[in-house]
């Protein structure tokens, strides 16, 4: 039996304009908004690294230079921290730029998340890769991407993460229909983008974590755009399903859509309650709220 290729590369699309968080995102990328003391993008990168990823390709756009600077060294800052004997902070700052090998690709036009992934096609080559969308922070004992990689190793076909949502929220997501073939693992039969009431009985919503094979990227390149001329990954999956299998994993963990204001606040509270510096004070403050 052939060995399963290791997944060492991840693509993180981060070229969006972040209009839902204006004016905060007028001059800074939405991915750099802080949750306690780390930007959203760092949580995503750390999940990838904890899942075995060594090479991270960030798809950026105009005015996204802060993303590159965050994962680069800052010699002046390091010098000041060393001089002031703030060694714990210095170690943390230096750790960031050694998390992985970082590569940056510009998506020159906003033509959909499928197009963003294809911008990195030449850097992926003929390997499977991971995809993590920069809006989703998922708090899990075992990284969600690692959960997906486990399923990929079993079936060696593309895998997507799904979460069960309330029936009232189904119309806000891409919804997966399929057959459960193992506990929490579904063989996908159909993908419906933001279904209308009564269009589906499924409550399995697609979220921003994937393992893709080269065939999935090829299918995305062949697919016809379905949404305002934008090429979406869901278009690629629909094309892929004509010839290959696709799997969905109902993962274990708490997901926060940090492109949503309320979810961003919830993520800040959840991470704050885990942070050793602020958790006690935050917990006491929350008790005073009515």
């Amino acid at each position: 039996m052939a060995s399963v290729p290791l997944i060492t590369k991840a693509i993180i699309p981060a070229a969006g304009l972040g209009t839902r968080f204006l004016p905060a995102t007028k001059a800074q990328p939405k991915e750099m908004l802080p949750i306690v003391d780390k930007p959203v993008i760092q949580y995503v990168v750390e999940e990838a690294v904890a899942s075995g990823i060594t090479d991270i390709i960030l798809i950026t756009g105009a005015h996204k230079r802060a993303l590159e600077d965050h994962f680069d060294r800052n010699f002046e800052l390091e010098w000041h921290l060393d001089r002031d004997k703030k060694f714990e902070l210095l170690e943390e700052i230096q750790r960031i730029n050694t998390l992985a090998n970082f590569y940056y690709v510009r998506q020159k036009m906003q033509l959909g998340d499928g197009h963003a992934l294809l911008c990195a096609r030449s850097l992926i080559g003929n390997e499977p890769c991971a995809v993590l969308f920069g809006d989703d922070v998922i708090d899990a004992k075992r990284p969600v991407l690692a959960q997906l990689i486990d399923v990929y190793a079993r079936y060696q076909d593309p895998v997507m993460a799904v979460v069960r949502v309330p029936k009232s929220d189904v119309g806000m997501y891409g919804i997966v229909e399929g057959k459960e073939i193992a506990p929490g693992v579904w063989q996908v039969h159909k993908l419906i983008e933001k279904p209308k009431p009564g269009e589906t009985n499924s409550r399995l919503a697609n979220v921003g974590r994937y393992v893709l094979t080269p065939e999935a990227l090829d299918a995305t390149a062949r697919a016809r755009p379905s949404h305002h001329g934008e090429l979406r990954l869901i278009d690629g999956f629909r094309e892929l399903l004509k010839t290959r299998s696709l799997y969905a994993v109902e993962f274990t963990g708490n997901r926060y859509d940090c492109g949503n204001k309320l979810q961003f606040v919830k993520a800040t509270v959840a991470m704050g309650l885990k942070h050793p510096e602020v958790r006690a004070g935050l917990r006491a403050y929350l008790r005073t709220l009515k």
Side-chain angles (χ1 to χ4, degrees), residues 12-35 38-42 58-71 104 106 110 134-135 258-259 264:
I12 302 179
L17 297 175
T19 53
R20 285 185 289 179
F21 274 84
L22 286 170
T25 51
K26 179 176 181 289
Q28 70 171 328
K30 63 178 180 178
E31 298 83 5
M32 289 301 297
L33 294 174
I35 297 178
K38 288 195 297 191
V40 170
I41 192 70
Q42 187 173 330
L58 280 159
I59 309 299
T60 68
H63 312 299
K64 296 278 185 168
R65 182 62 185 271
L67 293 173
E68 299 180 31
D69 289 342
H70 183 69
F71 294 106
Y104 302 92
R106 278 286 181 99
Q110 300 288 304
D135 284 344
C258 291
F264 182 84

Side-chain angles (χ1 to χ4, degrees), residues 135-189:
D135 284 344
D136 286 306
V137 170
I138 306 177
D139 183 25
K141 289 183 178 179
R142 178 163 173 76
V144 171
L145 180 58
Q147 297 177 43
L148 267 59
I149 290 173
D150 290 343
V151 174
Y152 167 76
R154 194 184 315 167
Y155 300 106
Q156 298 186 45
D157 277 310
V159 183
M160 62 197 302
V162 293
V163 64
R164 198 174 295 267
V165 298
K167 187 175 181 180
S168 58
D169 292 347
V170 164
M172 300 166 56
Y173 294 91
I175 297 297
V176 170
E177 291 184 351
K179 178 182 179 181
E180 191 170 20
I181 57 173
V185 179
W186 302 75
Q187 184 164 10
V188 178
H189 296 157

Side-chain angles (χ1 to χ4, degrees), residues 6 17 25 28 57 89 111 114 117 164 192 231 238 267:
L6 290 176
L17 297 175
T25 51
Q28 70 171 328
I57 304 162
L89 281 174
L111 297 176
L117 298 179
R164 198 174 295 267
I192 309 168
L231 181 61
R238 290 188 180 118

Side-chain angles (χ1 to χ4, degrees), residues 21 47 55 74 76 118:
F21 274 84
E47 179 189 331
D55 297 278
N74 184 327
E76 182 179 2
L118 293 177

Side-chain angles (χ1 to χ4, degrees), residues 17-150:
L17 297 175
T19 53
R20 285 185 289 179
F21 274 84
L22 286 170
T25 51
K26 179 176 181 289
Q28 70 171 328
K30 63 178 180 178
E31 298 83 5
M32 289 301 297
L33 294 174
I35 297 178
V36 189
D37 55 3
K38 288 195 297 191
V40 170
I41 192 70
Q42 187 173 330
Y43 287 92
V44 177
V45 166
E46 288 176 346
E47 179 189 331
V49 172
S51 303
I53 299 299
T54 59
D55 297 278
I56 291 177
I57 304 162
L58 280 159
I59 309 299
T60 68
H63 312 299
K64 296 278 185 168
R65 182 62 185 271
L67 293 173
E68 299 180 31
D69 289 342
H70 183 69
F71 294 106
D72 199 358
R73 294 194 67 178
N74 184 327
F75 292 102
E76 182 179 2
L77 175 59
E78 291 178 24
W79 183 86
H80 279 280
L81 292 174
D82 184 66
R83 183 198 63 183
D84 297 340
K85 295 183 170 52
K86 296 181 178 179
F87 300 124
E88 188 174 339
L89 281 174
L90 175 61
E91 182 179 351
E92 174 62 18
I93 291 298
Q94 291 176 332
R95 184 186 70 87
I96 293 170
N97 65 74
T98 60
L99 285 168
N101 302 313
F102 291 94
Y103 307 88
Y104 302 92
V105 177
R106 278 286 181 99
Q107 185 184 21
K108 297 179 176 66
M109 298 180 67
Q110 300 288 304
L111 297 176
D113 54 32
H115 175 265
L117 298 179
L118 293 177
C119 289
R121 186 70 176 88
S122 62
L123 296 178
I124 295 300
N126 195 36
E127 300 177 37
C129 68
V131 174
L132 303 93
F133 281 16
D135 284 344
D136 286 306
V137 170
I138 306 177
D139 183 25
K141 289 183 178 179
R142 178 163 173 76
V144 171
L145 180 58
Q147 297 177 43
L148 267 59
I149 290 173
D150 290 343

